[in-house]
Amino acid sequence: MTKWSHIFNSTSITPPRNFRAKVILILTLVAGLQVYFIGDSFRSLFHPLGQRPLHAEQVLARCASLKISAGPSASFHDRTQSDRFVRGTKPTLLHNARIWTGENNGTQVLGGDIFIDQGIIRGVGNVNLSAFGLEFDAMVARGELDVVDVRGAWVTPGIIDPHSHLGDASSPALSGAVDNNSWKGTIQPWLRSLDGLNTHDDSYALSIAGGVTTAIVLPGSINAIGGQAFTIKLRKTTERSPTSMLLEPSHDINNTHHDSGHVPWRQMNLIVVLGALGENPSRIYGDTRMDTFWALRQAYDKARRIKEQQDAYCSAALAGRWSNLGEFPEDLQWEALVDILRGRVKAWLIAELPGWSLMTPVPQLSNEFKFPIAAVHHAHEAYLVPDVLKRAYGMEYNPTEKCSSHGTGHPPAVAIFATFARYKREAYRGSEFAARILSENGLEVVVKSDHPVLNSRYLIYEAQQVHYYGLPANLALAAVTTLPAQVLGLEHRIGYLKEGWDADLVVWDSHPLALGATPAQVFIDGIPQLHVPHVVSKPETFQELPKVPNFDREAEAAIAFEGLPPLLPEAASSDTILFTGVSNVVIPHPATCSLEGLADSEQVRVVDLQGGAISPGLVTYGSPLGLQEIQFEPSTGDGFLFDSLASQVPKLVGSGDHSTVRAIDALQFAGRDTLLAYHAGVTKAIVAPVHDGFFGGLSASFSTGATHKLADGAVIQEITALHVSVGHFSLTGRPSISTQIAALRNLLLALPDDVTVESQISFRDVARGLIPIVIEAHSADVIATLILLKKEVEEKTGAIIHMTITGATEAHLLVKEIAMADIGIIFKPSRPFPTTWERRRVLPGPPLSKETEIALFLGHNVTVGIGVDEASSARNTRFDAGWAALEAGGRISKTQALALASTNLEKLLGCDTREASSGSSDLVVTQGGDLLSFESKVIGVISPRRRSVDLF
């Protein structure tokens, strides 16, 4: 018998109790497993829903989240503290304010107080602190409450820039800090401006000083889809990180989780240049508009397919059909576009397109893929086709009545510049009346900086200009406050002065739509941003809304002539023009006037100036006005200028190592920017050959109102000055600064008396003091070297060199030395900005500094002029001069302000001063006010030189 045979023995043997339990347990488990697997097989056959996965709840939650609409939570205004509140920030009571709230379509103005606490506005108007459980006197005594009597100052919401590259296109511009554009392909929705945001951009403090509290930072505009934009508050944070600047971060950035049922809006400049149906991608990638539009459709089709897959997946999951369902379909590269199709992204179209090009792409793309458009940016010609935008997705458009009603959304807003235009073909028909025309056609208008294209510090100036040209005041202020907030989907917390909104506000030194309006204090999240603000006292009249001229006739002409109304001047038909209602006359030469004999004349035309003025014609310098019609169209200008320090000059141009090019030979007359400047009182332009190198050639002066070069008085002076540039500028491979200085020294000192080459003659004439030399330089170090060089040449030649430095951003660091060296200065532009490293040390002016560069130099008896960089800015010369006087706080008279852009420029640039003394200078006639004010309109030019009186 084997050892274990007894187990089968018939003899009854009772096993232990624990043994029986183990056997029963094992048999039960085996049976259970058999039943389970058999049951599962039967379920697979007869119940196709499949086994519910372990992560089912997460999947179902993910699917439910796809249906959540973007926007604030329903309880948002129940908050008592901002999510951006900084602990230790004391509450503030602004007392005795004139409050523009943004309510009632921007028409509500309250008198009273504003109480801010915990980063939000707690009360507006008649504020009773006891209602908040606060004891006013006790808090003030303990230093727990800041009370500021603003003495009737205007207070508005913080300025919102709806199109900026702050932080991504940093200032000063350095090759190691340029992150606004990617050159990797035209369709890149996966890129994020946040990932390139530089928190050390010098522009933040400057923009805050202009009242800007919030900006949306977009990727650049060279791509059809440039990437995702992010909204930031501009104040510094203790964390110093890009994410700490974000306003309502999206998708759990910064570990910020949001309430169930609530996701914040996302932003994207989806279609950069209709974004990229315009010139930018064409220049970069060689794509036509057809190529770009197809690329856009492909991208959206890819996103649509992913969306449809997600929707099908979620339908199956919600129905419990889990069998073979797999993973949730998604693609990180395309998730932003999918969110657009779900209506959770504010899509921006950067559409620098001709009006006819807007006719198809904008509504077609949005309707084909069923997504709304928040705003169309740039859109220089949108005012010519306002009804087109009303056909975008979400609108119910009535083609018969040419109007739209709100369907699922509203027409896209239009984000524009006020007067900056004509730099591209797509911008050539841009009009200063676009804002009013769009508004009159039921479209919301916002103005933007495209910083650093325009300095966002002066975004309020854009609002002032659209108001000047006809946009109602309430809408002009809304264009930089409430309307951008709405377009961003953030109107629940910024853009208004209302209880519960973010404590972002600006206290102004004058009415915000008055010329030169400057913040006296700026609050962001309830924190004052200007530590020691310098506030200029301005006339009481500047506390009131300026009464702007009527431009109805001009606006109608802009539409009738499709953006190109006639601008050529027509001489008055009457023999005699009698101007009445003249408030003041400023002329650069003595004159007499007699009314004898007028009664007997049958050809007397009487023009009532209604308190207007007669002033000297203004002069513009610094832009390619008269040499280039469209900046990015080479065929419309003079073309490339050879520079002997960077390239070999063709021998046919002249002998020697370099040749002097003369601007007179390439002058173009009757250009649109030229004539617009003439209509704005700029009657003379002084222009040097357009160059991007050391040697610039000889400038000329011409009449901006002349029709062609051979017309009477068209060319005023064929040669005015010799121009060079010293600095790094933008030319690749530019010779070193020391090389440039060495070349300049050699040209001024090493020339014999018997030279015959024109370029050498020009430098010899400079060394002898016969013509001025105008040197573009911005760095204080370069300017110091030029001062020493001037002294060196004068000691060796015994002559006085007439030197003018233009640009001169850092010149204020050497004001005493420049005054002693008798060097003239042209500030170009008239308000400084740290564009490059050589310009980083700016004198910003109020409210950041008491002193302005212009007033500083005039105070040291330096001859000062002002210039512009862009041709389209020439028309604003009169406002630049008036602004300079206002910032100086009474230290610059109107006569001195006019001289900044007239007689001073002529002196500095070598113009023959005998013209003024002979009485042949042009005079400008304004109606409603003097030439430097927003109340006036230029209505005519008296031109003895051209023997005409032009009335506009």
Side-chain angles (χ1 to χ4, degrees), residues 183-203:
W183 301 62
K184 302 296 184 181
T186 192
I187 303 290
Q188 301 189 80
W190 47 85
L191 299 182
R192 308 188 305 178
S193 65
L194 173 67
D195 298 326
L197 195 67
N198 177 7
T199 60
H200 298 291
D201 189 334
D202 286 357
S203 298

Side-chain angles (χ1 to χ4, degrees), residues 410-477:
H410 57 81
V414 185
I416 61 174
F417 298 119
T419 58
F420 180 54
R422 290 168 294 283
Y423 51 91
K424 296 180 183 178
R425 169 185 169 272
E426 296 167 338
Y428 191 63
R429 295 174 187 260
S431 173
E432 62 272 35
F433 307 111
R436 64 170 287 177
I437 295 170
L438 289 164
S439 179
E440 290 167 354
N441 281 272
L443 294 172
E444 294 177 340
V445 176
V446 297
V447 292
K448 44 120 177 96
S449 71
D450 198 9
H451 182 97
V453 174
L454 298 184
N455 182 357
S456 64
R457 178 182 180 184
Y458 304 118
L459 188 55
I460 192 65
Y461 181 45
E462 294 295 290
Q464 293 165 5
Q465 290 179 85
V466 294
H467 174 240
Y468 177 77
Y469 289 111
L471 187 67
N474 59 311
L475 298 181
L477 273 178

Side-chain angles (χ1 to χ4, degrees), residues 25 177 266 334 458 521 626 636 652 654 690 735 745 802 822:
L25 177 61
R266 303 174 68 185
W334 302 100
Y458 304 118
Q521 186 54 270
T636 69
L652 285 176
V690 179
R745 177 183 291 110
H802 302 293
D822 194 22

Side-chain angles (χ1 to χ4, degrees), residues 389-619:
L389 296 180
K390 299 174 185 177
R391 299 174 190 156
Y393 178 74
M395 297 305 302
E396 297 173 1
Y397 181 74
N398 187 329
T400 302
E401 299 182 6
K402 293 186 177 181
C403 65
S404 57
S405 60
H406 288 262
T408 58
H410 57 81
V414 185
I416 61 174
F417 298 119
T419 58
F420 180 54
R422 290 168 294 283
Y423 51 91
K424 296 180 183 178
R425 169 185 169 272
E426 296 167 338
Y428 191 63
R429 295 174 187 260
S431 173
E432 62 272 35
F433 307 111
R436 64 170 287 177
I437 295 170
L438 289 164
S439 179
E440 290 167 354
N441 281 272
L443 294 172
E444 294 177 340
V445 176
V446 297
V447 292
K448 44 120 177 96
S449 71
D450 198 9
H451 182 97
V453 174
L454 298 184
N455 182 357
S456 64
R457 178 182 180 184
Y458 304 118
L459 188 55
I460 192 65
Y461 181 45
E462 294 295 290
Q464 293 165 5
Q465 290 179 85
V466 294
H467 174 240
Y468 177 77
Y469 289 111
L471 187 67
N474 59 311
L475 298 181
L477 273 178
V480 291
T481 53
T482 60
L483 292 179
Q486 292 173 18
V487 171
L488 291 170
L490 293 168
E491 70 273 22
H492 59 283
R493 65 182 300 169
I494 60 175
Y496 294 85
L497 294 184
K498 297 172 62 176
E499 185 175 339
W501 267 245
D502 286 13
D504 299 346
L505 48 90
V506 184
V507 182
W508 297 92
D509 67 356
S510 51
H511 192 290
L513 292 181
L515 179 64
T518 302
Q521 186 54 270
V522 179
F523 290 84
I524 302 180
D525 299 322
I527 305 171
Q529 298 297 302
L530 305 176
H531 301 297
V532 185
H534 300 275
V535 182
V536 175
S537 177
K538 293 180 178 177
E540 189 62 28
T541 55
F542 278 77
Q543 298 302 324
E544 304 302 323
L545 177 70
K547 183 181 179 181
V548 296
N550 184 295
F551 286 100
D552 291 349
R553 175 172 54 88
E554 291 85 350
E556 291 172 1
I559 299 173
F561 291 92
E562 298 186 348
L564 300 177
L567 295 174
L568 285 172
E570 295 183 7
S573 57
S574 302
D575 295 333
T576 304
I577 310 296
L578 176 61
F579 295 107
T580 63
V582 181
S583 64
N584 65 80
V585 177
V586 179
I587 54 178
H589 51 79
T592 58
C593 179
S594 173
L595 300 181
E596 293 182 7
L598 290 182
D600 299 328
S601 174
E602 296 181 358
Q603 295 295 322
V604 176
R605 179 174 176 179
V606 179
V607 179
D608 183 4
L609 299 191
Q610 303 170 21
I614 297 177
S615 310
L618 301 181
V619 180

Side-chain angles (χ1 to χ4, degrees), residues 19 76 286 595 636 772 939:
F19 178 79
F76 181 82
L595 300 181
T636 69
I939 65 166

